[in-house]
Amino acid sequence: MTTTEAAGTTDAAATDPVTETVVTDHDRGIHGYHHQKAEHLKRLRRIEGQIRGLQRMVDEDVYCIDILTQVSASTKALQSFALQLLEEHLRHCVADAAVKGGEEVDAKVEEATKAIARLLRT
């Protein structure tokens, strides 16, 4: 159960009655990946193990193609993680900015666009 559900609200944003401004999870320091943090850490530990395996393979003079196969698998795992994180960013951080409106929406969309561009270059 999330803190917003415990408080009796199911919206990602609530209105502050004093200032009449929208207060979102992002304002409270809760990022899009927060609810999946344990799963993300588990995935990253698995990827870390793959990278350590690469080091071991080089140290043990394993055949080049076998190492490249493992590099490909590690790269795919990181790309998959990045896409999941990007989706969570769009659903949470960008959506929160959209609720608020104004210049913050443009800034978040630009930020996400630049992140997507970086992912495409890799």
Side-chain angles (χ1 to χ4, degrees), residues 2 8 11 21 26 33 39 43 45 51-53 59 67 71 80 96 107 111-112 122:
T2 64
D11 293 23
T21 59
H26 201 259
Y33 60 85
E39 293 86 1
R43 268 179 103 171
R45 284 188 203 97
I51 302 303
R52 289 185 191 279
D59 187 48
I67 296 172
V71 166
S80 176
D96 280 358
E111 180 183 57
T122 58

Side-chain angles (χ1 to χ4, degrees), residues 94 97-111:
V94 176
V99 167
K100 288 180 167 185
E103 292 180 11
E104 189 170 347
V105 176
D106 295 333
K108 289 292 182 185
V109 169
E110 182 181 346
E111 180 183 57

Side-chain angles (χ1 to χ4, degrees), residues 1-69:
M1 177 179 285
T2 64
T3 55
T4 54
E5 289 170 340
T9 61
T10 56
D11 293 23
T15 304
D16 183 351
V18 175
T19 61
E20 290 298 319
T21 59
V22 176
V23 179
T24 63
D25 281 349
H26 201 259
D27 294 326
R28 296 179 187 106
I30 300 172
H31 299 290
Y33 60 85
H34 175 76
H35 301 291
Q36 306 294 330
K37 190 173 181 178
E39 293 86 1
H40 288 325
L41 289 171
K42 184 177 179 180
R43 268 179 103 171
L44 288 169
R45 284 188 203 97
R46 194 175 311 125
I47 293 168
E48 180 183 17
Q50 287 178 300
I51 302 303
R52 289 185 191 279
L54 283 168
Q55 292 172 333
R56 223 175 1 265
M57 291 172 83
V58 170
D59 187 48
E60 295 171 2
D61 295 319
V62 173
Y63 185 58
C64 302
I65 298 300
D66 294 338
I67 296 172
L68 289 171
T69 300

